[in-house]
Amino acid sequence: LRQVLTNLLSNAIKYSPAEEEIVIGSRAKQGMAQVWVEDHGIGVPPESREEIFMPYSRVGKQTRYIQGTGLGLSISREIMRAHAGHIWVEIAGEGNGSVFYFTVPLADDSDSSTEKRVAIQKK
């Protein structure tokens, strides 16, 4: 999961103008941990939402000058699948930035006790 977050942050930094804010957030929702990275970069065209998760995918002419292999998002998707999670992007439109989300199931501890005991031996 660290690798997924690293990939998303790296992309947000690479594709955003200098001094623009990048927001990272998380919450628990319907038994899932949801994490997001929001940037104000070049954005992703709506027709490219799935394409960007394909290996070696680079979208748009302006990305040719940005260093990278186009593997980060495809690797992130495979990591999410391995953890029974999901990754996707929501966009406001080209040039307005992107919000990348991923979710993973929270541990189900409904059968485990939340009680903790510590034994102290008197001497």
Side-chain angles (χ1 to χ4, degrees), residues 15-34:
Y15 292 99
S16 292
E19 315 233 350
E20 278 292 334
E21 181 178 73
I22 295 170
V23 177
I24 304 164
S26 67
R27 68 175 159 234
K29 184 178 180 181
Q30 300 173 339
M32 303 290 276
Q34 184 181 66

Side-chain angles (χ1 to χ4, degrees), residues 58-79:
R58 304 289 303 262
V59 177
K61 293 178 183 176
Q62 67 265 44
T63 64
R64 68 177 164 224
Y65 301 109
I66 297 173
Q67 202 171 25
T69 61
L71 289 172
L73 291 176
S74 66
I75 290 169
S76 295
R77 177 165 273 177
E78 290 306 312
I79 291 170

Side-chain angles (χ1 to χ4, degrees), residues 45-106:
E47 65 275 8
S48 300
R49 284 185 185 181
E50 284 302 311
E51 179 186 342
I52 61 171
F53 291 99
M54 301 302 292
Y56 306 107
S57 178
R58 304 289 303 262
V59 177
K61 293 178 183 176
Q62 67 265 44
T63 64
R64 68 177 164 224
Y65 301 109
I66 297 173
Q67 202 171 25
T69 61
L71 289 172
L73 291 176
S74 66
I75 290 169
S76 295
R77 177 165 273 177
E78 290 306 312
I79 291 170
M80 287 294 91
R81 286 180 179 153
H83 287 282
H86 184 62
I87 187 169
W88 71 97
V89 62
E90 292 183 6
I91 52 176
E94 194 168 357
N96 294 321
S98 305
V99 185
F100 283 85
Y101 293 89
F102 69 86
T103 58
V104 290
L106 292 170

